[in-house]
Amino acid sequence: MDYRLTVPFGLCFALMAAVSLITTVGVFFLQPRENRNVFKACAETFGAVFILNMLPIFILTLFVFFASGHAFTACCTAAFSVLLLAAVNRYMSELRFAPFKPLDILLSAEFFGVAKSMKTSVFVMFGSAAALFFTLIFMGLIFIKNGPVGFWTRITGASAAAVFFIAIVKTIYANKKIYGSLPVYGDKSDENMHMQSKGFIYYYLNIINKSKVSEPNFYNEFKSKITVKEQASVNRQEKILKPNIIMVLSEGFSELPLNPGLLFDGFTDPLFNYKKIKSESISGQIIVPRVGGGTSDTEFDILTGINTRDFNNLPFSFRLIKKQFPGMASALAANGYKTVCMHPGSGWFYRRKTVYPFMQFKNFIDIDAYPKKEYSGGYVSEKTTMDFLIESYRNHLQKNTDENYFAFCITIQNHGPYAGKYGANKNFGGEINFTSDEIDSLSNYFYGLADCDRELLRLTQYLKKTDEPSILVYFGDHLPTMSPQIFKKLLPNEKPAPFNRLPYFIWANDAARGIIETACLQTPLPRVMSAHYLGALILQLTGMDEADVLLKFLNEIRNKYPIVTEDQFTDAAGNLSDIDLYRQTDIALHKAWGYHRIKK
């Protein structure tokens, strides 16, 4: 006797529609930050946003139903798969402040690298959800059945669902007019605001159509002009005095401790030395591509002069470099510099071991070449990194070679997440109301930042003692991996991209100070600029930007368009406007030029 509950064939579709609706609501609630935005968008668009998010879930459920012949299995499988994807989106957004994208599977190694710092409860939750899913499937197969579905009906239905899904992804979900007509609440330069307003499922399927390098507008019109300019590069520029250049990308470095609501009386000021060094330097802010992650994208922007935001739907921009690639390093190499990159981590991370030689760094040095390794907070210590950098520079000077020296050094000690990272006790005061978890994250972050500050002082003290002209460029790659609530309490709500603003300074020892000071009198600088201008600026200050025509072009337009995001720019007066490529032709040329270098 069959004791299984039988669901009539016609009722199966009503059941699948109901589960799809509930799953859609569940996805909305799993979205990070203020999920009310998507509900607001659903109301303002008379349900269009809701339908655009629910329709793919329903079609997926239909596909599994016809493929398996079992409605309950289809409902469980589709709901679990979609909710799992939404949960991954939530936690990836909290780690790096950007939505989960189709090609992010390529970043799985990076995720597992930081997963050890995540709370155990997260893994318990995912494990429990998986156990529940398999239990429901097992129980459903035993106790629930539906009316028979013929073999050819299943084949036809599954094929039709698959074809229909592909068709709408390539048409409706690729349509720029539909995407642009839907509201975005908040900063338009923030990918999270798009996902929060339009819904994760719709956003995700829209990104599928953009996960490739597409030819930008006006490329054909600019192609001949770009080719002529590329041929005009000067391979070597004679200059009486060329300074050695050291660039340090400091992991998670920021000026969060400078918020007036934080006090360090009785504690270690984590930026004590930095503030003094900055007062002796050229300084400002750069707008970096990512928040809370994506270090290599900041490296890419600074060293190539190309804006990662023009290719924002790839998991990381170093994937674009697959051959010899011009930029800051090649310009300096052409001017007699020994070009070295130092990274105290695995060379395969973000393809650095392959990419840096393509960018014409003569030496790429990863963790395997570091003779002594001390660890702090789970990563190679700041002291180890600075020991190696100083020793490498000292060895270069002792060789008494005619080569100048350019080192691009990446630090990683203060990589997040920060919960319990160093076991630090509360090390700051002030009147800002933080939760206990926020206090823990900030205390551990400030503990690591104090290490960076101490090693920064040691580096400048060494450079002061050298007779060789030396300049130091120091900057952060992205904000630390913390909750958005912390940043809302500590950062001003500046537009565009308030969470993408990081400090930089350019410091010179006595032998190089005259070079920099003279150049600065001739080079007005914006207070805030996009990160892809920084490498070009260094070449301009040292009189070598003729060696790369794209970087020279950036120096010509930097003050006209100091900040350029995906869709907006600021002018010299700081006014924020939407980009119109018919009017902002210099921005259009830059986009075309970046594509040309990637594809030529």
Side-chain angles (χ1 to χ4, degrees):
M1 187 177 200
D2 192 348
Y3 294 98
R4 289 183 295 175
L5 174 66
T6 301
V7 180
F9 186 78
L11 190 59
C12 290
F13 292 92
L15 174 65
M16 289 186 287
V19 171
S20 299
L21 186 151
I22 294 170
T23 302
T24 305
V25 174
V27 170
F28 288 167
F29 275 107
L30 275 172
Q31 291 184 181
R33 301 188 189 177
E34 303 89 348
N35 56 51
R36 66 176 180 273
N37 285 345
V38 72
F39 292 113
K40 182 179 177 182
C42 289
E44 288 193 5
T45 60
F46 302 99
V49 168
F50 191 90
I51 292 171
L52 286 167
N53 282 272
M54 176 181 163
L55 180 60
I57 300 173
F58 181 60
I59 297 171
L60 174 63
T61 310
L62 286 176
F63 173 79
V64 180
F65 168 65
F66 285 113
S68 66
H70 198 264
F72 187 81
T73 297
C75 289
C76 289
T77 301
F80 177 79
S81 301
V82 171
L83 291 173
L84 177 63
L85 198 66
V88 170
N89 172 63
R90 179 186 182 94
Y91 283 99
M92 285 200 70
S93 295
E94 290 178 352
L95 282 172
R96 68 173 189 186
F97 296 84
F100 181 65
K101 299 175 184 178
L103 291 179
D104 278 339
I105 189 65
L106 300 173
L107 287 177
S108 57
E110 183 192 37
F111 171 78
F112 287 112
V114 300
K116 60 188 177 185
S117 300
M118 295 175 64
K119 293 181 179 179
T120 304
S121 58
V122 174
F123 297 99
V124 171
M125 183 190 70
F126 278 110
S128 300
L132 177 62
F133 164 69
F134 288 112
T135 301
L136 286 174
I137 290 291
F138 179 73
M139 298 297 288
L141 289 173
I142 293 176
F143 296 109
I144 301 174
K145 69 175 183 176
N146 47 254
V149 186
F151 175 77
W152 289 111
T153 300
R154 289 172 58 183
I155 293 295
T156 304
S159 300
V163 169
F164 185 64
F165 184 84
I166 294 170
I168 63 171
V169 169
K170 293 297 182 182
T171 55
I172 295 172
Y173 291 84
N175 191 293
K176 294 180 180 179
K177 288 185 178 179
I178 294 176
Y179 188 86
S181 69
L182 301 177
V184 177
Y185 308 105
D187 187 353
K188 288 184 178 180
S189 66
D190 187 341
E191 297 172 274
N192 265 315
M193 292 299 100
H194 285 261
M195 182 269 291
Q196 288 292 78
S197 304
K198 302 172 193 284
F200 169 62
I201 299 301
Y202 174 69
Y203 175 87
Y204 187 87
L205 294 178
N206 178 266
I207 291 297
I208 285 178
N209 294 284
K210 299 176 181 178
S211 297
K212 57 184 179 180
V213 178
S214 300
E215 184 177 296
N217 295 331
F218 308 109
Y219 174 65
N220 288 328
E221 288 87 337
F222 287 129
K223 187 174 181 180
S224 59
K225 182 177 182 180
I226 291 170
T227 301
V228 171
K229 283 182 172 290
E230 290 278 21
Q231 294 171 348
S233 290
V234 178
N235 288 329
R236 187 178 180 91
Q237 293 170 253
E238 296 303 328
K239 185 177 173 62
I240 296 174
L241 192 61
K242 294 176 184 174
N244 295 314
I245 301 169
I246 295 174
M247 298 186 78
V248 176
L249 183 157
S250 182
E251 172 66 42
F253 187 84
S254 74
E255 291 183 337
L256 289 180
L258 298 186
N259 184 288
L262 296 177
L263 298 175
F264 294 94
D265 297 340
F267 300 104
T268 298
D269 183 345
L271 294 181
F272 179 81
N273 299 308
Y274 165 79
K275 287 182 286 190
K276 183 177 186 302
I277 296 166
K278 178 184 174 183
S279 69
E280 302 169 348
S281 309
I282 304 163
S283 63
Q285 291 180 319
I286 50 174
I287 302 289
V288 298
R290 309 292 183 197
V291 180
T295 301
S296 68
D297 288 339
T298 301
E299 298 166 49
F300 175 89
D301 282 27
I302 289 171
L303 293 170
T304 68
I306 298 172
N307 195 344
T308 288
R309 293 172 183 272
D310 294 337
F311 309 97
N312 219 11
N313 299 307
L314 297 176
F316 58 95
S317 47
F318 272 175
R319 285 181 52 79
L320 298 170
I321 299 179
K322 300 176 181 179
K323 57 184 182 302
Q324 292 296 307
F325 208 89
M328 184 181 182
S330 62
L332 290 171
N335 276 275
Y337 278 76
K338 177 182 180 180
T339 52
V340 182
C341 176
M342 305 172 187
H343 175 62
S346 299
W348 53 264
F349 233 45
Y350 286 128
R351 298 182 65 243
R352 287 187 178 99
K353 196 168 187 176
T354 300
V355 167
Y356 272 91
F358 280 155
M359 290 195 294
Q360 299 184 45
F361 279 85
K362 296 176 183 177
N363 297 96
F364 173 77
I365 303 166
D366 68 5
I367 188 60
D368 293 336
Y370 282 58
K372 292 186 257 182
K373 306 178 188 73
E374 295 178 1
Y375 289 82
S376 181
Y379 293 92
V380 173
S381 71
E382 202 79 5
K383 181 179 183 302
T384 295
T385 303
M386 288 303 167
D387 282 345
F388 190 81
L389 173 60
I390 291 170
E391 187 61 26
S392 298
Y393 189 34
R394 181 183 290 114
N395 289 339
H396 173 81
L397 297 180
Q398 287 175 349
K399 289 179 182 178
N400 197 26
T401 175
D402 290 336
E403 279 188 313
N404 292 97
Y405 186 76
F406 170 51
F408 190 89
C409 178
I410 303 159
T411 77
I412 62 174
Q413 178 193 311
N414 214 23
H415 196 294
Y418 300 94
K421 179 176 173 69
Y422 301 105
N425 296 319
K426 186 179 179 183
N427 52 22
F428 65 94
E431 298 180 354
I432 301 176
N433 186 26
F434 293 110
T435 67
S436 58
D437 286 344
E438 291 170 349
I439 291 172
D440 178 58
S441 290
L442 284 170
S443 296
N444 281 283
Y445 174 65
F446 292 155
Y447 181 97
L449 204 58
D451 285 349
C452 298
D453 187 65
R454 181 174 57 254
E455 295 305 315
L456 171 60
L457 174 64
R458 190 160 68 93
L459 176 60
T460 54
Q461 286 177 335
Y462 169 74
L463 295 176
K464 282 180 180 179
K465 295 176 183 177
T466 65
D467 295 328
E468 289 290 323
S470 308
I471 68 169
L472 170 65
V473 186
Y474 195 91
F475 56 95
D477 56 343
H478 52 71
L479 281 177
T481 307
M482 295 184 188
S483 71
Q485 288 71 30
I486 289 178
F487 299 139
K488 287 179 180 178
K489 294 172 183 178
L490 292 178
L491 295 174
N493 188 26
E494 298 176 288
K495 291 187 177 181
F499 290 178
N500 297 77
R501 296 171 179 243
L502 274 298
Y504 79 90
F505 68 75
I506 304 167
W507 175 92
N509 67 359
D510 291 341
R513 188 167 297 278
I515 301 171
I516 300 302
E517 289 178 348
T518 301
C520 284
L521 293 175
Q522 305 165 351
T523 308
L525 297 176
R527 183 182 68 86
V528 186
M529 64 183 180
S530 289
H532 63 271
Y533 288 117
L534 184 57
L537 170 63
I538 302 306
L539 291 182
Q540 184 180 28
L541 293 177
T542 54
M544 289 179 283
D545 61 339
E546 293 284 349
D548 187 279
V549 286
L550 172 56
L551 300 185
K552 181 175 174 57
F553 171 73
L554 285 175
N555 288 326
E556 294 168 358
I557 69 170
R558 180 181 60 238
N559 290 315
K560 186 177 180 181
Y561 303 112
I563 301 174
V564 182
T565 65
E566 290 86 348
D567 305 306
Q568 297 179 303
F569 74 96
T570 59
D571 61 19
N575 300 309
L576 180 65
S577 305
D578 291 337
I579 294 173
D580 179 349
L581 295 178
Y582 288 95
R583 300 181 64 184
Q584 284 82 49
T585 55
D586 285 335
I587 294 177
L589 174 56
H590 181 242
K591 290 176 181 289
W593 208 328
Y595 174 81
H596 179 81
R597 287 200 164 181
I598 289 165
K599 286 296 186 180
K600 72 176 182 179

